[in-house]
């Protein structure tokens, strides 16, 4: 059974930093591209960032480029999102999700398994 | 920037057919995917590559594509289908990025 478990969310002041983690089980983690998707309170889904199975290719939404860094440790079956220079508008539930393909830009980059999410609140 | 457009809401009575559309200029070149998000739960994939249904998804869920519009159809809607539905595709015209539609709230009357 595929399981994705996010952690690391919490309350942080504007300008602060936070690192989210997503522990995967039930899969050969390095075989699959992964992604972070967020949902602000009462709003829709917003793609944040994606990473290929090897970790060498990364992609970002314009709204987080230069502030957030996605990475993965395939030896630990864990995905990360380092969030710096946080803003109030980054407040959201952050989901990690697995893709059935290895490469982000490959046709068929979608998300077949999702974690339950972790809440990030940016407020003073 | 590339956008996917969905109606904010759709309402149907139990047993009727619900159709949720998603429009985007790149849809003829990129597959579309559909996710169901029930209240308090994580999103779940219900349609992939325009028309394919993952295992475990009821047959009443189907997808279709025509030009710049894709459609999620739920036949014989049940009360448990009440949820938010999001389409997703990709924008590869410049730097690759994933795009979600704004979401459609399906209400079962």
């Amino acid at each position: 059974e595929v399981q994705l478990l996010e952690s690391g969310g919490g309350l942080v002041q504007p300008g602060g930093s936070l690192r989210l983690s997503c522990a995967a089980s039930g899969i050969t983690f390095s075989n699959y591209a992964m992604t972070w998707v967020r949902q602000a309170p009462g709003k829709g889904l917003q793609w944040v960032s994606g990473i290929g199975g090897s970790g060498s290719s990364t992609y970002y939404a314009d709204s987080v480029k230069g502030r957030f860094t996605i990475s993965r440790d395939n030896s630990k079956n864990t995905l990360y999102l380092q969030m710096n220079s946080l803003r109030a508008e980054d407040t959201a539930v952050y989901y990690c999700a697995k893709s059935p393909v290895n490469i982000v830009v490959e046709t068929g980059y979608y998300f077949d398994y999702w974690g339950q999410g972790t809440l990030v609140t940016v407020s003073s | 920037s590339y956008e996917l457009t969905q109606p904010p809401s759709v309402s149907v009575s139990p047993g009727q057919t619900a159709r949720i559309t998603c429009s985007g200029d790149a849809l003829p070149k990129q597959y579309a995917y559909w996710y169901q998000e029930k209240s308090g739960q994580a999103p779940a994939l219900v349609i992939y590559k325009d028309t394919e249904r993952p295992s475990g998804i009821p047959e009443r869920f189907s997808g279709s594509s025509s030009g710049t519009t894709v459609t999620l159809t739920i036949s014989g809607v049940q009360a448990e289908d009440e949820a938010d539905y999001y389409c997703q595709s990709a924008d590869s015209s410049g730097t690759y990025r994933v795009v979600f539609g704004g979401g459609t709230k399906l209400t079962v009357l």
Side-chain angles (χ1 to χ4, degrees):
Chain A
E1 179 191 6
V2 178
Q3 290 194 330
L4 301 171
L5 184 62
E6 302 96 336
S7 61
L11 175 64
V12 60
Q13 293 188 338
S17 298
L18 213 54
R19 188 176 83 154
L20 306 183
S21 300
C22 172
S25 60
I27 58 172
T28 303
F29 185 63
S30 60
N31 285 354
Y32 303 105
M34 299 290 292
T35 200
W36 288 99
V37 174
R38 68 185 182 185
Q39 186 169 36
K43 302 297 185 181
L45 301 176
Q46 182 187 28
W47 178 73
V48 173
S49 182
I51 187 168
S54 70
S56 60
S57 298
T58 58
Y59 302 83
Y60 298 93
D62 289 343
S63 57
V64 306
K65 197 175 299 183
R67 299 188 299 124
F68 291 11
T69 302
I70 190 171
S71 62
R72 62 193 296 161
D73 185 336
N74 287 342
S75 68
K76 296 182 178 179
N77 290 351
T78 302
L79 174 72
Y80 302 101
L81 186 67
Q82 177 67 43
M83 304 186 295
N84 298 331
S85 303
L86 283 162
R87 307 166 179 167
E89 54 264 36
D90 296 318
T91 294
V93 173
Y94 284 72
Y95 295 101
C96 73
K98 167 194 167 292
S99 173
V101 300
N102 187 270
I103 300 171
V104 170
V105 297
E106 183 174 322
T107 297
Y109 183 58
Y110 61 99
F111 315 118
D112 53 359
Y113 290 93
W114 296 64
Q116 286 303 304
T118 185
L119 176 62
V120 172
T121 303
V122 184
S123 174
S124 56
Chain B
S1 62
Y2 182 53
E3 294 183 349
L4 295 175
T5 301
Q6 298 180 234
S9 63
V10 168
S11 300
V12 297
S13 298
Q16 290 189 328
T17 296
R19 294 180 179 86
I20 300 172
T21 59
C22 172
S23 299
D25 289 342
L27 288 177
K29 301 188 293 285
Q30 293 279 356
Y31 284 121
Y33 311 91
W34 290 95
Y35 302 89
Q36 176 194 65
E37 186 181 39
K38 294 184 178 180
S39 181
Q41 298 183 20
L45 179 72
V46 294
I47 294 290
Y48 67 100
K49 293 186 179 179
D50 292 347
T51 62
E52 302 298 314
R53 192 173 55 248
S55 60
I57 299 301
E59 290 185 6
R60 64 180 181 274
F61 287 86
S62 64
S64 61
S65 176
S66 179
T68 59
T69 299
V70 294
T71 302
L72 172 68
T73 300
I74 311 172
S75 304
V77 166
Q78 300 182 7
E80 67 195 51
D81 299 330
E82 185 164 287
D84 293 322
Y85 291 85
Y86 295 89
C87 61
Q88 176 240 310
S89 189
D91 177 11
S92 59
S93 60
T95 304
Y96 183 91
R97 63 190 184 101
V98 170
V99 182
F100 285 96
T104 298
K105 171 66 178 180
L106 175 65
T107 299
V108 182
L109 301 171

mmCIF file of all heavy atoms in Angstrom, chain A residues 33-53:
data_model
loop_
_atom_site.group_PDB
_atom_site.id
_atom_site.type_symbol
_atom_site.label_atom_id
_atom_site.label_comp_id
_atom_site.label_asym_id
_atom_site.label_seq_id
_atom_site.Cartn_x
_atom_site.Cartn_y
_atom_site.Cartn_z
ATOM 1 N N ALA A 33 8.655 10.435 -10.156
ATOM 2 C CA ALA A 33 8.657 11.871 -9.916
ATOM 3 C C ALA A 33 7.664 12.200 -8.804
ATOM 4 O O ALA A 33 6.685 11.476 -8.609
ATOM 5 C CB ALA A 33 8.299 12.610 -11.197
ATOM 6 N N MET A 34 7.938 13.276 -8.108
ATOM 7 C CA MET A 34 7.085 13.704 -7.007
ATOM 8 C C MET A 34 6.741 15.180 -7.164
ATOM 9 O O MET A 34 7.375 15.904 -7.948
ATOM 10 C CB MET A 34 7.797 13.485 -5.665
ATOM 11 C CG MET A 34 8.163 12.048 -5.365
ATOM 12 S SD MET A 34 6.742 10.995 -5.027
ATOM 13 C CE MET A 34 6.172 11.674 -3.461
ATOM 14 N N THR A 35 5.780 15.619 -6.394
ATOM 15 C CA THR A 35 5.371 17.009 -6.501
ATOM 16 C C THR A 35 4.863 17.528 -5.164
ATOM 17 O O THR A 35 4.527 16.739 -4.265
ATOM 18 C CB THR A 35 4.274 17.183 -7.567
ATOM 19 O OG1 THR A 35 4.212 18.541 -8.003
ATOM 20 C CG2 THR A 35 2.910 16.779 -7.035
ATOM 21 N N TRP A 36 4.840 18.842 -5.023
ATOM 22 C CA TRP A 36 4.151 19.521 -3.927
ATOM 23 C C TRP A 36 3.027 20.362 -4.530
ATOM 24 O O TRP A 36 3.240 21.091 -5.503
ATOM 25 C CB TRP A 36 5.103 20.425 -3.149
ATOM 26 C CG TRP A 36 6.098 19.695 -2.307
ATOM 27 C CD1 TRP A 36 7.398 19.425 -2.622
ATOM 28 C CD2 TRP A 36 5.893 19.148 -0.997
ATOM 29 N NE1 TRP A 36 8.002 18.736 -1.606
ATOM 30 C CE2 TRP A 36 7.108 18.566 -0.587
ATOM 31 C CE3 TRP A 36 4.802 19.106 -0.117
ATOM 32 C CZ2 TRP A 36 7.260 17.945 0.654
ATOM 33 C CZ3 TRP A 36 4.954 18.484 1.107
ATOM 34 C CH2 TRP A 36 6.178 17.902 1.487
ATOM 35 N N VAL A 37 1.852 20.244 -3.938
ATOM 36 C CA VAL A 37 0.674 21.014 -4.326
ATOM 37 C C VAL A 37 0.128 21.648 -3.054
ATOM 38 O O VAL A 37 0.111 21.000 -2.005
ATOM 39 C CB VAL A 37 -0.401 20.116 -4.976
ATOM 40 C CG1 VAL A 37 -1.677 20.900 -5.240
ATOM 41 C CG2 VAL A 37 0.134 19.492 -6.262
ATOM 42 N N ARG A 38 -0.315 22.888 -3.125
ATOM 43 C CA ARG A 38 -0.860 23.543 -1.932
ATOM 44 C C ARG A 38 -2.281 24.012 -2.174
ATOM 45 O O ARG A 38 -2.727 24.169 -3.313
ATOM 46 C CB ARG A 38 0.023 24.704 -1.498
ATOM 47 C CG ARG A 38 0.044 25.898 -2.443
ATOM 48 C CD ARG A 38 1.054 26.938 -1.943
ATOM 49 N NE ARG A 38 1.084 28.115 -2.796
ATOM 50 C CZ ARG A 38 1.951 29.123 -2.622
ATOM 51 N NH1 ARG A 38 2.841 29.099 -1.629
ATOM 52 N NH2 ARG A 38 1.901 30.167 -3.438
ATOM 53 N N GLN A 39 -2.964 24.240 -1.057
ATOM 54 C CA GLN A 39 -4.340 24.723 -1.104
ATOM 55 C C GLN A 39 -4.539 25.729 0.015
ATOM 56 O O GLN A 39 -4.561 25.363 1.196
ATOM 57 C CB GLN A 39 -5.324 23.562 -0.966
ATOM 58 C CG GLN A 39 -6.771 23.949 -1.150
ATOM 59 C CD GLN A 39 -7.678 22.734 -1.261
ATOM 60 O OE1 GLN A 39 -7.447 21.719 -0.605
ATOM 61 N NE2 GLN A 39 -8.697 22.821 -2.106
ATOM 62 N N ALA A 40 -4.667 26.987 -0.359
ATOM 63 C CA ALA A 40 -4.939 28.036 0.618
ATOM 64 C C ALA A 40 -6.350 27.856 1.173
ATOM 65 O O ALA A 40 -7.208 27.260 0.512
ATOM 66 C CB ALA A 40 -4.790 29.401 -0.043
ATOM 67 N N PRO A 41 -6.605 28.357 2.375
ATOM 68 C CA PRO A 41 -7.923 28.182 2.991
ATOM 69 C C PRO A 41 -9.055 28.660 2.084
ATOM 70 O O PRO A 41 -9.044 29.801 1.620
ATOM 71 C CB PRO A 41 -7.836 29.041 4.254
ATOM 72 C CG PRO A 41 -6.378 29.071 4.584
ATOM 73 C CD PRO A 41 -5.662 29.071 3.258
ATOM 74 N N GLY A 42 -9.982 27.764 1.784
ATOM 75 C CA GLY A 42 -11.126 28.104 0.958
ATOM 76 C C GLY A 42 -10.832 28.282 -0.518
ATOM 77 O O GLY A 42 -11.707 28.704 -1.278
ATOM 78 N N LYS A 43 -9.622 27.947 -0.940
ATOM 79 C CA LYS A 43 -9.232 28.145 -2.336
ATOM 80 C C LYS A 43 -8.983 26.814 -3.034
ATOM 81 O O LYS A 43 -9.123 25.743 -2.439
ATOM 82 C CB LYS A 43 -7.963 29.008 -2.403
ATOM 83 C CG LYS A 43 -8.099 30.380 -1.751
ATOM 84 C CD LYS A 43 -9.123 31.252 -2.438
ATOM 85 C CE LYS A 43 -9.150 32.649 -1.830
ATOM 86 N NZ LYS A 43 -10.183 33.500 -2.493
ATOM 87 N N GLY A 44 -8.600 26.900 -4.301
ATOM 88 C CA GLY A 44 -8.361 25.709 -5.092
ATOM 89 C C GLY A 44 -6.933 25.187 -4.975
ATOM 90 O O GLY A 44 -6.111 25.710 -4.226
ATOM 91 N N LEU A 45 -6.660 24.139 -5.738
ATOM 92 C CA LEU A 45 -5.341 23.532 -5.734
ATOM 93 C C LEU A 45 -4.370 24.378 -6.543
ATOM 94 O O LEU A 45 -4.718 24.905 -7.609
ATOM 95 C CB LEU A 45 -5.403 22.123 -6.329
ATOM 96 C CG LEU A 45 -6.323 21.133 -5.632
ATOM 97 C CD1 LEU A 45 -6.363 19.815 -6.398
ATOM 98 C CD2 LEU A 45 -5.897 20.905 -4.204
ATOM 99 N N GLN A 46 -3.148 24.489 -6.051
ATOM 100 C CA GLN A 46 -2.099 25.228 -6.758
ATOM 101 C C GLN A 46 -0.831 24.400 -6.758
ATOM 102 O O GLN A 46 -0.322 24.026 -5.687
ATOM 103 C CB GLN A 46 -1.824 26.581 -6.096
ATOM 104 C CG GLN A 46 -0.765 27.407 -6.830
ATOM 105 C CD GLN A 46 -0.362 28.675 -6.107
ATOM 106 O OE1 GLN A 46 -0.429 28.760 -4.889
ATOM 107 N NE2 GLN A 46 0.078 29.672 -6.854
ATOM 108 N N TRP A 47 -0.320 24.099 -7.930
ATOM 109 C CA TRP A 47 0.939 23.387 -8.046
ATOM 110 C C TRP A 47 2.079 24.271 -7.561
ATOM 111 O O TRP A 47 2.127 25.448 -7.880
ATOM 112 C CB TRP A 47 1.171 22.961 -9.485
ATOM 113 C CG TRP A 47 2.467 22.260 -9.717
ATOM 114 C CD1 TRP A 47 2.791 20.990 -9.330
ATOM 115 C CD2 TRP A 47 3.606 22.778 -10.399
ATOM 116 N NE1 TRP A 47 4.077 20.678 -9.736
ATOM 117 C CE2 TRP A 47 4.596 21.766 -10.399
ATOM 118 C CE3 TRP A 47 3.905 23.991 -11.017
ATOM 119 C CZ2 TRP A 47 5.842 21.941 -10.980
ATOM 120 C CZ3 TRP A 47 5.146 24.161 -11.605
ATOM 121 C CH2 TRP A 47 6.098 23.138 -11.577
ATOM 122 N N VAL A 48 2.994 23.682 -6.788
ATOM 123 C CA VAL A 48 4.111 24.422 -6.217
ATOM 124 C C VAL A 48 5.426 24.045 -6.888
ATOM 125 O O VAL A 48 6.186 24.912 -7.340
ATOM 126 C CB VAL A 48 4.210 24.161 -4.701
ATOM 127 C CG1 VAL A 48 5.466 24.794 -4.112
ATOM 128 C CG2 VAL A 48 2.963 24.677 -3.993
ATOM 129 N N SER A 49 5.709 22.730 -6.953
ATOM 130 C CA SER A 49 7.018 22.311 -7.436
ATOM 131 C C SER A 49 7.002 20.828 -7.768
ATOM 132 O O SER A 49 6.196 20.067 -7.212
ATOM 133 C CB SER A 49 8.076 22.587 -6.354
ATOM 134 O OG SER A 49 9.371 22.242 -6.796
ATOM 135 N N GLY A 50 7.888 20.420 -8.684
ATOM 136 C CA GLY A 50 8.010 19.017 -9.036
ATOM 137 C C GLY A 50 9.474 18.618 -9.162
ATOM 138 O O GLY A 50 10.335 19.466 -9.411
ATOM 139 N N ILE A 51 9.747 17.329 -8.987
ATOM 140 C CA ILE A 51 11.107 16.821 -9.049
ATOM 141 C C ILE A 51 11.097 15.433 -9.680
ATOM 142 O O ILE A 51 10.204 14.615 -9.409
ATOM 143 C CB ILE A 51 11.745 16.785 -7.644
ATOM 144 C CG1 ILE A 51 13.231 16.427 -7.708
ATOM 145 C CG2 ILE A 51 10.976 15.867 -6.702
ATOM 146 C CD1 ILE A 51 13.968 16.666 -6.378
ATOM 147 N N GLY A 52 12.085 15.171 -10.550
ATOM 148 C CA GLY A 52 12.193 13.870 -11.171
ATOM 149 C C GLY A 52 12.680 12.808 -10.203
ATOM 150 O O GLY A 52 13.122 13.117 -9.095
ATOM 151 N N GLY A 53 12.613 11.564 -10.643
ATOM 152 C CA GLY A 53 12.964 10.458 -9.768
ATOM 153 C C GLY A 53 14.397 10.470 -9.276
ATOM 154 O O GLY A 53 14.673 10.080 -8.136
#
